[in-house]
Amino acid sequence: MRVLVIGNGAREDALSWRLAASPSCEAVFAAPGNAGTAMRGVNWDVSATDGRALAQRCIDERIDLAVIGPETAIAAGVGDRLREAGVATFGPDRSCGRLESSKIFAKRFMERHGVPTARASVVHSLDGAFRALEHHGERVAIKADGLAAGKGVVVVDDRDEAKATLARWYGAGHIPGGGSDVLIEERLEGREVSVFAICDGERFLPFGSACDYKRAGDGDTGPNTGGMGAYSPPQGFPEDLEAIVWERIVEPVRRGLLAEGERYVGVLYCGLMWTSDGPYVIEFNARLGDPEAQVLLPRVEGDVAALLHSAATGSLRESIAFSSDACVGVVLATAGYPGSSTSLRGLPKHVEIGSECRIFWGNSVIGDAGIDATGGRVMTVTATGSDILAARENAYSGVRTLASQLGSRDLTYRTDIAVG
Ligand code: AMP
Ligand code: GLY
């Protein structure tokens, strides 16, 4: 198969790596890709959200399977355009993608189908929001309806903070992600964990679970980011975590989608809070996470290209085997991330960092003197090991080797991924 990966993050580099290593994959392409995907295959200079251009190029290049990475592409209808053009596509159409692209759609869907989630009010104005606050406790989460690249959720401790956030959003006339719709929901207490399913329209199969680290700084301090690290499998949850989530969440979602005439193809990412009452959905994503993909894909066994093709063509069959190894991924970002972003030029293309480690490149291009990092999350260093402790030691040993080889380069990372 000739396989296209759509997107340009470290998630897409990890996908390209795993697809290129699949027996059924002949060649791998990326649009627009990054320095990592350029070293594994061929990058196309086509935007990840330009569905028509992607569809035409897939036909010209005889692509057998397209795999969509980012939510922006799903929300732009890239899946719809590719399928219209007859391209087998792994990634949902825009309608199913609303589970991620509209938090209000997702909340209503969960309410219709009995999926455990926090009680919420939908508001459209500052007045309405202030009235709705009266019906909630002091501690709430305030969520912009649309896609906002991690900036659309504010979790508050009291009413004043809630009012200040809402006044800022409505006052400036700028709700993150655009629009005027906001969700106010009860704050859930517990530990966060993400559970993944791979879906072919009718069948859903377990695709592992992971924990990620969203805050920029050690000890979960600092601003929210796209994700600074992850590990899999999760630690400190019930042994039968995935089975519980399957029964209480994934199955009702699957039945609900079918009942509403939706064929969900791709990855369903359930972002959960494990409360004293079990798992509650915080959010759905309609794709693999970044950096969760970087710690899940090294654990998946078998021919991943064939697996994703079977999902894309409605013929998922056997269960998916995961290695018993653990995997830890540490994200290296340019200093200042997620605020001001600097860029770095001339990073080495190859660095020896140990056989258990892999580097997945994020925002980067191949320049004249090596790799130029274009700011933000530059790479994920991922390592496997017999357990989380071993995987973590391998990952941080790789990060230290890398840091010393890059000299005094302006890169920052968390030192507590998968600790405790
Ligand atoms: P989201 O973008 O929906 O994943 O939200 C970002 C982060 O906000 C989540 O990872 C949680 O840490 C937090 N969050 C969202 N909703 C809630 C909630 N109802 N209760 C507590 N924390 C929440
Ligand atoms: N790491 C969280 C996400 O990809 O949304």
Side-chain angles (χ1 to χ4, degrees):
M1 283 192 280
R2 294 161 64 79
V3 182
L4 170 70
V5 176
I6 296 167
N8 68 346
R11 165 184 51 208
E12 286 74 22
D13 191 25
L15 279 165
S16 303
W17 161 73
R18 200 63 189 77
L19 290 162
S22 302
S24 66
C25 180
E26 171 198 312
V28 57
F29 303 82
N34 59 32
T37 62
M39 293 189 283
R40 304 185 198 282
V42 177
N43 284 355
W44 297 351
D45 188 14
V46 181
S47 156
T49 53
D50 189 344
R52 285 184 205 289
L54 287 167
Q56 188 56 51
R57 190 76 179 259
C58 282
I59 293 166
D60 295 345
E61 300 266 5
R62 293 175 292 108
I63 292 298
D64 301 293
L65 170 68
V67 178
I68 306 179
E71 65 276 20
T72 46
I74 295 164
V78 166
D80 307 60
R81 296 293 89 72
L82 292 175
R83 273 186 274 267
E84 278 161 19
V87 181
T89 302
F90 184 79
D93 60 21
R94 190 179 186 158
S95 178
C96 290
R98 287 178 298 170
L99 281 180
E100 172 167 7
S101 66
S102 167
K103 289 189 190 293
I104 295 172
F105 174 84
K107 183 66 69 178
R108 297 292 188 233
F109 179 88
M110 288 188 270
E111 289 166 356
R112 283 198 294 282
H113 299 290
V115 178
T117 187
R119 187 174 68 82
S121 305
V122 174
V123 299
H124 313 285
S125 67
L126 187 58
D127 277 356
F130 279 18
R131 279 197 302 278
L133 284 177
E134 304 299 323
H135 304 288
H136 288 276
E138 292 269 317
R139 289 157 66 78
V140 292
I142 300 174
K143 305 187 169 189
D145 181 50
L147 292 179
K151 298 188 179 66
V153 177
V154 180
V155 177
V156 302
D157 289 321
D158 59 48
R159 187 73 46 90
D160 288 343
E161 221 186 313
K163 287 186 166 170
T165 300
L166 289 159
R168 198 170 63 242
W169 283 6
Y170 279 110
H174 185 74
I175 312 286
S180 63
D181 300 342
V182 169
L183 208 59
I184 297 174
E185 73 177 35
E186 294 302 326
R187 203 159 141 184
L188 298 164
E189 310 292 339
R191 279 188 68 205
E192 286 180 54
V193 61
S194 303
V195 172
F196 301 82
I198 201 160
C199 323
D200 76 351
E202 285 181 16
R203 286 199 68 184
F204 286 37
L205 290 178
F207 199 58
S209 48
C211 289
D212 74 331
Y213 292 76
K214 289 201 171 72
R215 300 294 188 124
D218 283 355
D220 287 331
T221 55
N224 256 324
T225 70
M228 294 302 289
Y231 69 92
S232 173
Q235 267 189 321
F237 292 90
E239 196 69 15
D240 52 350
L241 153 98
E242 289 183 23
I244 295 174
V245 172
W246 210 261
E247 183 195 323
R248 297 196 195 172
I249 292 164
V250 181
E251 257 306 299
V253 169
R254 189 185 73 84
R255 282 197 302 267
L257 286 165
L258 286 174
E260 296 189 14
E262 300 282 6
R263 290 183 61 81
Y264 192 104
V265 175
V267 167
L268 176 70
Y269 167 143
C270 307
L272 309 168
M273 186 73 84
W274 203 276
T275 70
S276 54
D277 192 25
Y280 276 63
V281 175
I282 293 178
E283 63 164 351
F284 289 120
N285 292 322
R287 52 174 173 84
L288 278 170
D290 182 345
E292 291 89 333
Q294 294 92 297
V295 298
L296 284 175
L297 291 167
R299 299 189 56 233
V300 185
E301 292 179 342
D303 188 322
V304 171
L307 172 73
L308 302 193
H309 187 264
S310 72
T313 52
S315 51
L316 260 185
R317 262 192 309 266
E318 70 275 35
S319 61
I320 302 156
F322 274 77
S323 131
S324 60
D325 277 356
C327 191
V328 171
V330 180
V331 172
L332 281 73
T334 51
Y337 175 76
S340 63
S341 71
T342 48
S343 54
L344 293 174
R345 297 179 75 81
L347 299 174
K349 282 189 188 169
H350 298 285
V351 185
E352 273 314 313
I353 58 166
S355 58
E356 307 85 0
C357 289
R358 276 190 193 86
I359 296 176
F360 296 120
W361 286 90
N363 295 338
S364 57
V365 293
I366 297 196
D368 297 336
I371 293 177
D372 296 337
T374 46
R377 294 187 291 171
V378 177
M379 58 181 107
T380 307
V381 174
T382 291
T384 49
S386 54
D387 56 21
I388 293 286
L389 187 66
R392 186 175 83 219
E393 277 175 7
N394 291 339
Y396 276 110
S397 137
V399 169
R400 280 190 297 274
T401 308
L402 185 66
S404 70
Q405 299 205 20
L406 298 182
S408 59
R409 297 290 192 161
D410 243 355
L411 287 171
T412 168
Y413 58 89
R414 278 182 65 158
T415 65
D416 64 346
I417 303 303
V419 174

